[in-house]
Amino acid sequence: MHPILARFERLAAYLASWFTIGILVALVITRQGLSWPEALVLVLPPLLVYAFVCLSAWYVCRAMPLTSGLPALLTASIAAAAFAGGFWMALSQTWIGILESLPALGATTERFREQSPYLLVVAVMLFLLVLSLHYVVLAFEAFRAAEHQQLELQVLSRDAELRALRAQINPHFLYNSLNSISALTSGDPGAARRMCLLLADFLRTTLHMSTLDQISLQDELTLADRFLSIEQVRFGSRLRVERHVDEDTTACRVPPLLLQPLLENAVAHGIAGLVDGGVIRLEIHRDRDRLTIAVENPRDVDAPWPTRGGVGLDNVRRRLAVVFGVNAQMEAVATPGRFRVMMSLPWGTDG
């Protein structure tokens, strides 16, 4: 259906525009010897009917889009304008014939006929104007459709990248955990068995949560605790954790498995390289509309200076960029004895 005919308010606005045009045309005709009432009677009724004829320009534009080429467009436009002009002539002559049958206006119909050539030119120009406006509307709609399609492609690309990044989390963690279990099987089979059970429980829990876009920080901390319980089997008293988490932050929504890669990095590149182990500090605070997360771990002062983040840190950085764009920041700072990762995310809850 024609977009103007599809909604009453559009049709009303369209006819109001033509009514205004009719008044202007009648005003011009008064300079040709017609009175103001005579000009209105001559112009307005057929022009309002002609307004519906001009709606056919929409279908001409759809049949001959702008990509058809200039010769084809000109041919179609001229043919359509000629057809509309012929329709106008038939319409106006019919209307003049009706006016001739009215005693009060019969004497003025000859003057009406004298205006026919002028009105024909006006009718053709109005049709071409409506045709041009329809091309503009169609071009705008095509632009909006292309923009919408581009946005959909960006969203699909973003989702695909996010799914790929999520898919890297468990395999990377699983690889490290299986290596740890393998190391424990010969020296401490009981610990290896406990670690297998904890690993199975952790993977079972993350199976659902990892498919969600966001979870509460409380659920994320629960996942982090389960991860640390697995590593605790391996490192025992060498691994100690200090948590400084503001209570009002637990309702904040964050991407799932955001802390686990940071803690895994702290264990693998910090605690594992120290004979006496050390303390991992987890700090989470709210600063107005921002959530600040920091993970700090000790590191061997003789260890090589880190030149880049590991797989886990790179994964987290890319996930933050995909989910939050420039609204999230992540920074890693290494000193001779410490390594600290800090994140700043937009604050958001379900409430």
Side-chain angles (χ1 to χ4, degrees):
M1 178 181 287
H2 196 289
I4 291 180
L5 298 178
R7 297 178 61 177
F8 175 77
E9 57 270 22
R10 293 178 181 175
L11 179 60
Y14 178 74
L15 292 178
S17 300
W18 276 87
F19 187 83
T20 303
I21 293 173
I23 292 177
L24 294 176
V25 173
L27 181 63
V28 174
I29 289 181
T30 57
R31 299 182 180 181
Q32 306 299 322
L34 294 177
S35 66
W36 177 248
E38 290 175 341
L40 287 177
V41 169
L42 173 63
V43 171
L44 273 182
L47 197 65
L48 291 178
V49 175
Y50 185 68
F52 288 94
V53 177
C54 289
L55 290 177
S56 62
W58 171 263
Y59 303 102
V60 176
C61 295
R62 295 292 298 270
M64 298 295 297
L66 291 174
T67 56
S68 301
L70 184 59
L73 286 176
L74 289 177
T75 301
S77 299
I78 293 173
F83 176 81
F87 192 93
W88 167 259
M89 286 299 296
L91 182 64
S92 62
Q93 293 304 314
T94 301
W95 179 241
I96 291 176
I98 294 175
L99 294 180
E100 284 180 334
S101 63
L102 301 177
L105 297 174
T108 62
T109 54
E110 187 59 32
R111 283 185 293 171
F112 287 171
R113 294 185 188 278
E114 292 175 358
Q115 306 302 320
S116 295
Y118 167 75
L119 293 177
L120 175 61
V121 173
V122 172
V124 171
M125 291 180 62
L126 286 174
F127 181 85
L128 291 175
L129 175 62
V130 173
L131 187 71
S132 301
L133 291 176
H134 278 93
Y135 271 121
V136 171
V137 171
L138 283 174
F140 179 74
E141 287 187 349
F143 173 77
R144 289 288 301 272
E147 188 178 50
H148 182 70
Q149 184 179 18
Q150 180 66 24
L151 182 60
E152 286 184 341
L153 290 176
Q154 290 178 356
V155 172
L156 291 175
S157 176
R158 170 186 173 275
D159 290 344
E161 181 179 358
L162 191 55
R163 286 194 297 270
L165 291 173
R166 285 173 177 171
Q168 295 178 11
I169 296 174
N170 280 344
H172 184 255
F173 164 64
L174 186 59
Y175 171 78
N176 290 337
S177 297
L178 291 177
N179 279 341
S180 300
I181 293 172
S182 177
L184 288 172
T185 52
S186 58
D188 191 348
R193 183 176 183 276
R194 290 197 305 274
M195 194 170 183
C196 284
L197 295 175
L198 291 170
L199 178 61
D201 184 57
F202 175 81
L203 294 178
R204 187 182 303 111
T205 304
T206 60
L207 182 62
H208 170 67
M209 290 189 178
S210 62
T211 63
L212 302 176
D213 291 332
Q214 291 185 337
I215 61 175
S216 69
L217 181 62
Q218 181 61 58
D219 291 337
E220 180 67 14
L221 289 171
T222 300
L223 291 176
D225 287 340
R226 294 191 177 185
F227 163 76
L228 291 172
S229 66
I230 295 173
E231 296 293 5
Q232 196 78 53
V233 175
R234 179 183 175 190
F235 292 99
S237 60
R238 293 173 58 200
L239 173 59
R240 300 179 297 279
V241 179
E242 289 184 3
R243 287 178 30 162
H244 302 276
V245 180
D246 292 348
E247 292 184 1
D248 61 344
T249 62
T250 56
C252 184
R253 308 292 291 182
V254 297
L257 295 174
L258 189 66
L259 294 177
Q260 183 266 331
L262 304 184
L263 295 172
E264 181 183 359
N265 184 79
V267 172
H269 301 287
I271 303 301
L274 298 172
V275 176
D276 296 329
V279 177
I280 296 176
R281 291 176 56 89
L282 173 62
E283 303 172 1
I284 303 179
H285 307 288
R286 179 180 181 180
D287 183 12
R288 297 183 181 177
D289 60 344
R290 308 288 297 177
L291 178 70
T292 302
I293 300 175
V295 176
E296 182 177 307
N297 61 272
R299 60 185 299 269
D300 188 353
V301 294
D302 297 325
W305 198 265
T307 58
R308 63 179 183 86
V311 174
L313 295 187
D314 287 343
N315 186 295
V316 171
R317 185 177 288 107
R318 291 168 60 191
R319 289 178 67 207
L320 290 178
V322 170
V323 175
F324 299 109
V326 296
N327 292 322
Q329 293 83 41
M330 177 176 172
E331 181 183 8
V333 178
T335 62
R338 309 291 296 178
F339 186 80
R340 183 179 178 87
V341 179
M342 294 164 288
M343 293 185 297
S344 178
L345 317 177
W347 177 271
T349 64
D350 288 334

